[in-house]
Amino acid sequence: MKSLITRLLLATAVASGSAGAQPVTKVVVPFTAGGGTDVYVRLLTAELGKTLPVIVENKPGASGNIAADHVAKSRPDGYTVFVGTNSTLANNTVLFDKLPYDPLKDFTPVTHIGYQPIIIVARADAPFKTLQEMVAYAKANPGKINRGSPGAGIISNLAPLMFERQAGIKTTHVPFTGDSQGIQALLSGTIDIHGTTITGPLPHIQSGKIRVLGVMDNKRLPQLPNVPTFKEAGYDVEAYAWYTLVAPAGTPHEAVERLNKAVNQVLTREDFVAKARSMGMEPRGGSPEALGKYIRSEYDRWVPLLKSLELTKSTY
């Protein structure tokens, strides 16, 4: 992983330096360097850097609020963009009392860049092998299934919770402070199932230590061709961890279109798609208008569910 990060950093730097005197586009990532999202963004910017100068700046902290606030208050000249996610553009409005930015008003959509469908995985020796069997077991044993998640307000908890309400079952939620802790708990047998995305558990899935019960997408994952979607199993559930590029509000239309075109040209290349999928990411592009509608629909979908949970709020 370290060698991959090093190569991506060097590729981005070299590409930026070779592009002459053009203004540099700064892509602000709300996570630490080396994480799955950061590696994917660096893969993307390394390719972008072949046609325009671009750098990545990591600004982790406060569940992404620090980076989001920084970009929201940046000059709207088209050369600073933010990697917006479920949390920063929707969920944090509920989880924080004093959010310093408005996710629906302070940004201009540029393009979707990728997504990961939520999956539910189970320990290999769990007393159920499919979603239907898990539902039947949960109904016969209310609260007996221990379900892990990377955190209460994260999409990989909210989506399984939505599924439980639809299926009429109840598990015992065990929140962790990150995905890796939940996966380790699953491997040790401390929990029975876990809501996650494919990147973290993939090696354990391939080795047979973890079983995937279902994929919350409208199609099967190329990495898991034999695993049915929730819809195939009879449950109308789709949920994604999604990643976007947004610019400060007021960014000129021409600047947005320029960046949108450059990014979409990379996202649709077969070689890039193959590299992205190898790390568990599904590339997704599109127009600024389509992204704006998508963010609004996701906001309207998940914020009411979060509010219904009455979680303890944090202050920025």
Side-chain angles (χ1 to χ4, degrees), residues 61-66 92-101 311-316:
S63 296
N65 290 343
I66 291 175
N92 285 0
T93 59
V94 179
L95 300 177
F96 288 81
D97 270 328
K98 299 181 179 179
L99 205 62
Y101 63 94
L311 301 172
T312 302
K313 293 187 177 182
S314 301
T315 56
Y316 178 67

Side-chain angles (χ1 to χ4, degrees), residues 19 78 115 151 280:
Y115 76 96

Side-chain angles (χ1 to χ4, degrees), residues 84-87 90-91 112 114-119 154-160 162 196-198 215-221 229-231 236-244 280-284 294 297-298 301-302:
T85 64
N86 309 63
S87 295
N91 299 353
H112 220 131
Y115 76 96
Q116 294 178 299
I118 303 304
I119 61 177
I154 297 176
I155 191 66
S156 41
N157 170 48
L158 297 179
M162 180 179 68
T196 182
T197 58
I198 191 175
V215 177
M216 296 185 184
D217 201 349
N218 57 15
K219 64 181 185 299
R220 295 191 180 193
L221 283 174
T229 66
F230 274 64
K231 288 190 174 183
D236 187 19
V237 178
E238 287 186 37
Y240 312 95
W242 43 264
Y243 311 93
T244 69
M281 186 72 70
E282 287 292 302
R284 174 187 280 175
Y294 182 81
S297 68
E298 287 288 277
R301 183 184 186 196
W302 297 110

Side-chain angles (χ1 to χ4, degrees), residues 205-286:
I205 294 168
Q206 294 170 334
S207 68
K209 295 179 180 179
I210 290 177
R211 178 184 296 117
V212 184
L213 298 180
V215 177
M216 296 185 184
D217 201 349
N218 57 15
K219 64 181 185 299
R220 295 191 180 193
L221 283 174
Q223 303 92 336
L224 304 171
N226 297 321
V227 178
T229 66
F230 274 64
K231 288 190 174 183
E232 287 178 297
Y235 304 101
D236 187 19
V237 178
E238 287 186 37
Y240 312 95
W242 43 264
Y243 311 93
T244 69
L245 290 183
V246 295
T251 298
H253 176 76
E254 295 77 12
V256 171
E257 288 296 329
R258 170 185 58 82
L259 188 55
N260 175 276
K261 181 179 179 180
V263 173
N264 276 279
Q265 286 176 342
V266 174
L267 293 173
T268 55
R269 283 186 3 221
E270 290 185 6
D271 61 325
F272 181 84
V273 171
K275 291 177 182 177
R277 286 179 171 171
S278 71
M279 62 176 67
M281 186 72 70
E282 287 292 302
R284 174 187 280 175

